[in-house]
Amino acid sequence: MTTEIRPDRGAAAIDVRDLHKQFGDNEVLKGIDFHIDNGQVVCVIGPSGSGKSTLLRCVNMLETPTKGQIFVEGEEITDPDADVDRLRSRIGMVFQQFNLFPHMTVLRNLCIAQEKVKGRSRAEAVEVARRNLAKVGLAERESAYPAHLSGGQQQRVAIARSLSMDPDMMLFDEPTSALDPELVGDVLAVMKDLASEGMTMMVVTHEIGFAREVGDKLVFMDDGVIVEEGDPRQVLANPQHERTQAFLSKVL
Amino acid sequence: MASPRQRAARARYIQYAVLVAVVVAAAFLMDWAQIQRAFFNIEVARDMFPRVLTIALKNTVIYTACAFAFGLALGVVLALMRLSSVGPYRWIATGIIEFFRGVPALVVFLAIGTGVPTAFPGREIPGDVLGQVTVALGLVGGAYMAETIRAGIQAVPKGQLEAARSLGMSHGRAMVSVVIPQAFRIILPPLTNELILLTKDSSLVYVLGVYLETQELTKFGRETMNTTSSLTALVVVGFCYLLITIPLAIIVRRMEHRAERAR
Ligand SMILES: Nc1ncnc2c1ncn2[C@@H]1O[C@H](COP(=O)(O)OP(=O)(O)O)[C@@H](O)[C@H]1O
Ligand SMILES: [Mg+2]
């Protein structure tokens, strides 16, 4: 097992500097600067196509930025020599479509990366997995296959899978957008618990209520730039920018 | 004017009538005694046992299984090369795949059987006939399977690889643990079909020059046919092939049916 490199406590959890991303001729991110402190919950809102997912995916290098730098707890993940796999194992990611491994049971979904990436023994991995399944309220479904779970249950398993890697922070890309309305609450409840435990979280969401209640910071993106950011209650009650006002008037 | 239903009924009657006519004609025109002597000679058939099973059928199964295993491994490697971001890997894999798909299997067998010993005197593929058949048939099968496997890998949703990578898995680990197992589930039916084709192509082993212990079904059938001057041997051998291929075909149909329902 590799020695854990303790995060630099002074550094921001995520620090993004002048980030640009281009797909062909289409510039999707046009110079993004922002940071998340340890323990902060930052919610990102904005119209569809504004680049929210791309920004999130750049943070753990699922997309390679065209220009700019991203630091994760002081380490530059955009550095060509960075050990991206090791950094990723410290950043949990939850997808809109859950992306559970359909050929594995719930328990196996939670254990595989613990064993193959963290080098934990089977017994150790199972113990951690069971603890996290209990946390998301699905202790009794460990031998089910993903296809036999509801969307809400699948998303909670996906969260537990990320948590089993003991991440320092979690990224969420519209985690409730693919869910039936009555299942959204369970997932949000799990996320609220996480936030209250002090997990650093970056959440792309359309759940304005969640952003207001749980968020420490709200970021509004439009057309590849951050238009406005600040305390969620202030931004939501009193948006400064015209584009923010227009967007909020549609979703609120 | 007849209604559509009446017309459909009439068409069905005509089809039945044609069928009956053909059967009746066959029954009258064919020399059944001669056919039975030629194709269903009990004595000839009885003499073929047990060797048709203990040697011929056994060898067919072994040749096919080894070639399939080799071809599968080769197919996975070629498929991964085809999907590589490194250009030369893609070109080499494409070249190999197109070559062995484009050339008749018989030519590959001849090249392995006579070409390799001539080109590399003193060196030969280990494992005698089995080794040669594994390589020759495996190359052909692997080339076909590579494209199937590639399609299977590409059919696995992109989010699966992303989820695995986001957990810190390397690309290789994610392929082995997450993507390839799912790809194989998708392509199990076409792979089984490939196994059926390989079973039949294993008959080409005759060009490698086999002796009694290495004969497979077709060769064994031809030898028996020559010594007995009866076509019964072919009937027995053909039946043995069906013993392998029909269960496989049933398995494929089951899997396809299940995949259809799961969709
Ligand atoms: N892999 C890709 N290739 C090409 N264009 C992409 C890709 N991913 C995203 N885009 C484009 O980038 C823009 C922003 O997408 P995205 O970040 O998903 O927005 P959001 O999450 O805010 O809806 C869209 O116009 C989308 O078409
Ligand atoms: Mg998005």
Side-chain angles (χ1 to χ4, degrees), chain A residues 73-198:
Chain A
E73 291 176 324
E75 278 188 73
E76 189 189 346
I77 194 169
T78 42
D79 182 340
D81 294 329
D83 184 351
V84 174
D85 290 341
R86 182 178 55 79
L87 285 167
R88 275 198 191 121
S89 72
R90 285 165 34 193
I91 310 172
M93 178 138 185
V94 175
F95 300 85
Q96 187 176 345
Q97 298 298 337
F98 330 131
N99 293 345
L100 292 179
F101 306 136
H103 59 304
M104 301 178 190
T105 63
V106 164
L107 192 65
R108 198 74 200 120
N109 262 278
L110 269 63
C111 288
I112 179 103
Q114 291 189 65
E115 292 169 23
K116 306 295 181 193
V117 176
K118 291 206 138 208
R120 287 181 180 157
S121 71
R122 172 70 56 96
E124 207 179 346
V126 166
E127 196 192 313
V128 173
R130 291 209 168 116
R131 179 152 34 85
N132 284 306
L133 274 181
K135 190 169 183 167
V136 301
L138 289 169
E140 75 290 358
R141 301 310 305 272
E142 66 170 52
S143 33
Y145 281 88
H148 295 139
L149 302 177
S150 73
Q153 290 173 330
Q154 288 191 49
Q155 192 61 297
R156 283 185 282 152
V157 170
I159 293 173
R161 177 174 69 179
S162 285
L163 289 177
S164 297
M165 298 297 286
D166 297 331
D168 297 331
M169 64 197 74
M170 297 272 288
L171 311 176
F172 294 84
D173 192 359
E174 300 197 25
T176 57
S177 295
L179 299 179
D180 293 336
E182 72 270 21
L183 303 175
V184 169
D186 290 342
V187 173
L188 290 182
V190 167
M191 291 169 63
K192 273 180 206 167
D193 282 350
L194 269 182
S196 66
E197 287 169 19

Side-chain angles (χ1 to χ4, degrees), chain B residues 148-201:
Chain B
T148 307
I149 295 166
R150 181 182 60 85
I153 289 173
Q154 285 178 322
V156 176
K158 220 168 82 238
Q160 291 291 310
L161 182 64
E162 291 180 349
R165 296 305 304 271
S166 77
L167 289 164
M169 291 188 203
S170 66
H171 184 82
R173 167 51 61 190
M175 291 302 279
V176 168
S177 292
V178 174
V179 177
I180 291 178
Q182 292 184 60
F184 268 94
R185 279 190 174 187
I186 297 171
I187 60 172
L188 219 47
L191 279 188
T192 313
N193 275 328
E194 185 61 30
L195 185 57
I196 293 174
L197 294 179
L198 287 186
T199 305
K200 296 187 290 179
D201 278 350

